[in-house]
Amino acid sequence: MVDISNDDIGEINRLKLWEMMLKLRLVEKKAYDLFLQNLIKGTSHLALGQEAIAGAFGVALQEGDYTFCTYRGHAHTLARGSSIEGVLGELMGRQCGLMKGKGGSMHLTDVDKGVMGSYAIIGAHLTIANGTALASKYNKTKEVSVCFFGDGTTNIGAFHEALNMAKIWDLPIVFVCENNLYMEYTAISDVTAVEHPAADRASAYSLEKIIVDGNDADEMFRTAQAAIQKAREGNGPSLIEAKTYRHSGHSRADPGKYRPDEEVKDWLENKDPITNYRKRLLDYNIDEKVISDIENKIKQEVEEATEISKSSPIPDTKEIFTDVWADGGYEWHN
Amino acid sequence: MAQLTYRESVSLAIAQAMRKDPKVFFIGEDVGAAGGVFKATVGLLEEFGKDRVMDAPISEQAILGAAMGAAMTGLRPIAEIMFSDFLAVCWDIVANQIAKTRYMSDGQITIPLVIRTANGGGSKFGAQHSQSLENWSMMIPGLKVVAPSSPADVLGLMNTAVNDPDPVIFYEHKSLYASKQELDNTDLSIPFGQANILHEGSDITIIGLALMAQRSKKAAEILKEKHDINAKVLDLRTLVPLDLQTIKKSINETGFAMTVEENPRLCGWGAEISSLITEHCFSNLKGPVTRITTPHVPLPSADILEDNTIPSVDLIVNEVIKKIKGE
């Protein structure tokens, strides 16, 4: 049983976390269904099972803060408040999509919500996120930049360049490594010189070693809040390693068969962030009806957004020729 | 009237931009306290301080990534990559991120960023510190490509680059840093996509860029004095956007076209120009377009080897004579 007498998170935030994680889960499941119906083409990388990380930051961040995520970024985009039809519409290549079909699943961007892009080349966005953080420091404003990435990123050069630069200039940034144990098809432990791919590198950049259960929404929320506050108060960057597990394969094309059955079973049955959080809400004496009302509300929102996306027109082919340049066009000679 | 070197015009151009706009800052390796390895940024740290002139670690990806992210919020960074050859170590940030993010975001993100870099040969630095790489960036949609050939052009084009809302790669030629020019006014502005006529002539059009534009001009002077050939020399100044109209007009008048490039042969920018000329001026051409380039080799280091690899004034003179006289 949990000790409910000394609750630092509170019912309001707990229900926000619950609603947020459910939304991320149900939209990802819907994206998978739409793939099977061939309404979504190309590739997609689902964050099923990793919802507590994006969800906790989504609740902890403020309007105006900047987030950067990877090609596995549907959840992180939704977590900032982007519309479900904006995300599903983009995956389906419809006009209602966040970028009208010009970016696709791996590049979701919603600047109005602080979603400064989803990046599909490993490591690049850590260096770019430093730039928005640098701008906040330069302008003496209080936004915090948060950069999500996977365990595989910790072995690429840009990761190390970015951490060093963030530290030497004490940038207001939080780096969040979602360690789901597999870089793509290969176990991260098979190809990494340290046990904890991000946290064990922290000391090289004079950063604190932070490891958190990324499937525990409360722990994630506390960790996120502390790192965000540190950055906002001008006390520099943090590097968080959140342990988690993806329920599906790396991408649409991957059934994930390289993972032992027992391991998959354990994570799905015993460590699912949403199943476990539902139990916790009940432990905190939250009315089951409140919990299921939120579930029903989100289900309905996802269904409605799916219908909006399906009925949204496909883009005009004129869109091909727009927005290479800031003047809106693509001409390169007079 | 002030006499300025190309080198001095770089620091003056940056200083003028920073004085006018507090959103402009400058970041690079050894650019502040050291004033740049080519001494092209001397005095900036003293005038603007550490917050606006940032000495960065040897981390080209982190430098350009930080500049890109800052530009995404509306700041106007100028980032230095010490040698253009080093663009290869941060090419993901340039080619995948900086160039494509506006398009992929459906115009949500604007990246007003200048990457300036020392480009070109002549210093006997060997194959990894001497390349002319304008064509690398020319072939990527979303990048503007600038290569000034004089102090005035450095000032005028840098002013335009800093105020341009799109990412600009600004290639400074190492062998031009010491070149000088008398200038009445240093607060210049030169629009992109406007070629400069360095020498008038009606017999042939020679198209060059940066050092090769200056060598073409010298060749034209010799051709006029000693060989009675009048060559028109166009300095493109920017490859993207390209001043196709001026090229077309000139070729239609002269009937002969030659490009002079410092890069190796394959896929050099002259190939694109040659293709455009064939497409647009075919009926007015008196012969095939000639491309002068370096041979398709990495640049060697020794004096005699480098000098014989990069197109020289004599080579341009001889090629023009061969072409006009039909030899």
Side-chain angles (χ1 to χ4, degrees), chain B:
Chain B
M1 183 82 84
Q3 191 180 61
L4 264 189
T5 62
Y6 187 99
R7 171 182 286 116
E8 289 162 344
S9 68
V10 172
S11 58
L12 181 58
I14 297 170
Q16 288 180 161
M18 292 179 71
R19 285 171 202 150
K20 280 183 206 162
D21 186 351
K23 289 193 171 78
V24 180
F25 70 88
F26 180 45
I27 180 171
E29 296 160 10
D30 296 324
V31 296
V37 293
F38 296 101
K39 300 296 168 203
T41 56
V42 170
L44 294 175
L45 177 66
E46 290 73 10
E47 180 173 352
F48 298 102
K50 276 182 156 176
D51 289 345
R52 295 184 69 193
V53 178
M54 302 176 200
D55 274 322
I58 300 176
S59 302
E60 280 83 9
Q61 294 186 85
I63 290 168
L64 291 191
M68 174 180 167
M72 285 162 70
T73 73
L75 294 180
R76 291 184 172 268
I78 302 171
E80 176 178 312
I81 296 298
M82 190 185 285
F83 287 79
S84 62
D85 315 72
F86 305 170
L87 285 168
V89 295
C90 50
W91 201 236
D92 170 45
I93 309 291
V94 178
N96 286 321
Q97 314 302 342
I98 290 170
K100 294 180 174 65
T101 293
R102 156 170 284 283
Y103 188 82
M104 293 194 302
S105 71
D106 191 42
Q108 290 181 63
I109 289 173
T110 298
I111 304 172
L113 161 67
V114 180
I115 300 169
R116 49 169 294 269
T117 187
N119 189 54
S123 305
K124 317 323 180 202
F125 288 159
Q128 296 177 348
H129 290 71
S130 306
Q131 297 174 85
S132 284
L133 299 177
E134 301 91 336
N135 56 324
W136 286 15
S137 41
M138 184 192 189
M139 64 179 72
I140 296 166
L143 300 175
K144 292 184 177 170
V145 183
V146 180
S149 74
S150 69
D153 283 4
V154 168
L155 287 161
L157 293 168
M158 180 61 83
N159 189 359
T160 302
V162 172
N163 289 296
D164 196 283
D166 293 312
V168 177
I169 318 241
F170 196 90
Y171 289 95
E172 295 160 16
H173 202 292
K174 292 191 278 290
S175 289
L176 292 172
Y177 275 129
S179 65
K180 291 175 189 164
Q181 194 173 9
E182 297 281 344
L183 293 172
D184 294 330
N185 172 21
T186 60
D187 190 11
L188 303 173
S189 179
I190 298 170
F192 288 171
Q194 201 169 94
N196 192 22
I197 297 166
L198 294 186
H199 195 272
E200 283 292 353
S202 54
D203 295 331
I204 183 171
T205 304
I206 307 176
I207 301 167
L209 193 68
L211 179 66
M212 293 301 106
Q214 293 298 346
R215 287 193 177 169
S216 299
K217 182 187 174 193
K218 282 203 186 86
E221 288 163 2
I222 293 167
L223 286 162
K224 186 172 185 177
E225 272 172 38
K226 297 187 179 169
H227 304 280
D228 198 28
I229 292 172
N230 293 306
K232 184 158 183 160
V233 176
L234 299 184
D235 176 1
L236 292 176
R237 300 202 283 206
T238 64
L239 289 176
V240 181
L242 181 73
D243 187 0
L244 179 60
Q245 295 308 318
T246 298
I247 295 170
K248 275 163 59 177
K249 182 168 180 286
S250 181
I251 307 299
N252 287 337
E253 286 164 8
T254 63
F256 281 114
M258 176 181 284
T259 61
V260 187
E261 304 159 62
E262 200 179 315
N263 40 262
R265 177 88 189 182
L266 299 188
C267 301
W269 56 261
E272 183 58 47
I273 305 288
S274 172
S275 158
L276 286 166
I277 291 170
T278 310
E279 196 175 330
H280 292 276
C281 312
F282 188 74
S283 58
N284 291 314
L285 281 175
K286 296 171 187 165
V289 181
T290 300
R291 285 182 64 206
I292 299 180
T293 67
T294 65
H296 206 64
V297 298
L299 265 189
S301 168
D303 272 340
I304 190 170
L305 299 181
E306 195 197 54
D307 291 346
N308 279 281
T309 305
I310 298 174
S312 64
V313 174
D314 288 347
L315 178 71
I316 300 166
V317 167
N318 292 336
E319 288 295 321
V320 170
I321 292 170
K322 267 199 271 179
K323 193 169 179 66
I324 298 288
K325 299 193 172 165
E327 287 165 12

Side-chain angles (χ1 to χ4, degrees), chain A residues 209-239:
Chain A
K209 178 173 179 171
I210 302 172
I211 298 174
V212 59
D213 179 352
N215 281 16
D216 182 328
D218 285 349
E219 281 307 310
M220 263 326 298
F221 184 65
R222 289 187 186 100
T223 307
Q225 275 190 318
I228 291 166
Q229 187 183 351
K230 180 183 171 191
R232 206 177 308 281
E233 289 174 353
N235 295 318
S238 301
L239 172 62

Side-chain angles (χ1 to χ4, degrees), chain A residues 98-100 102-103 107 109-111 116 119 121 124 127-128 131-132 135 138 161 320 322-326 332-334, chain B residues 22 24 52 59 61-62 65-66 69-70 72-73 92 97 102-104 106 108 142-143 165-166 241-245:
Chain A
L98 288 174
M99 303 93 75
K100 299 200 200 83
K102 284 168 83 173
H107 299 291
T109 304
D110 192 355
V111 170
M116 303 305 281
Y119 294 80
I121 309 287
T127 72
I128 301 163
T132 54
Y138 188 90
E161 290 191 19
I320 294 167
T322 62
D323 284 315
V324 171
W325 307 121
W332 56 274
H333 65 68
N334 59 10
Chain B
V24 180
R52 295 184 69 193
S59 302
Q61 294 186 85
M72 285 162 70
T73 73
D92 170 45
Q97 314 302 342
R102 156 170 284 283
Y103 188 82
M104 293 194 302
D106 191 42
Q108 290 181 63
L143 300 175
D166 293 312
L242 181 73
D243 187 0
L244 179 60
Q245 295 308 318

Side-chain angles (χ1 to χ4, degrees), chain A residues 25-128:
Chain A
R25 169 71 51 97
L26 294 178
V27 174
E28 289 287 58
K29 281 189 158 177
K30 179 59 74 177
Y32 187 70
D33 291 346
L34 292 168
F35 266 121
L36 296 180
Q37 296 167 38
N38 208 27
L39 285 168
I40 295 177
K41 309 285 175 59
T43 187
S44 114
H45 306 76
L46 302 178
L48 289 169
Q50 304 184 197
E51 296 88 349
I53 302 166
F57 272 91
V59 175
L61 284 166
Q62 295 177 7
E63 200 175 318
D65 288 336
Y66 300 113
T67 49
F68 294 75
C69 55
T70 68
Y71 50 87
R72 196 181 307 288
H74 309 162
H76 307 75
T77 302
L78 291 162
R80 296 305 310 280
S82 295
S83 73
I84 299 171
E85 60 266 28
V87 171
L88 289 179
E90 186 63 28
L91 270 56
M92 293 166 71
R94 304 298 172 106
Q95 270 187 26
C96 74
L98 288 174
M99 303 93 75
K100 299 200 200 83
K102 284 168 83 173
S105 161
M106 294 201 282
H107 299 291
L108 296 176
T109 304
D110 192 355
V111 170
D112 288 345
K113 302 287 185 190
V115 181
M116 303 305 281
S118 308
Y119 294 80
I121 309 287
I122 298 292
H125 66 307
L126 281 78
T127 72
I128 301 163

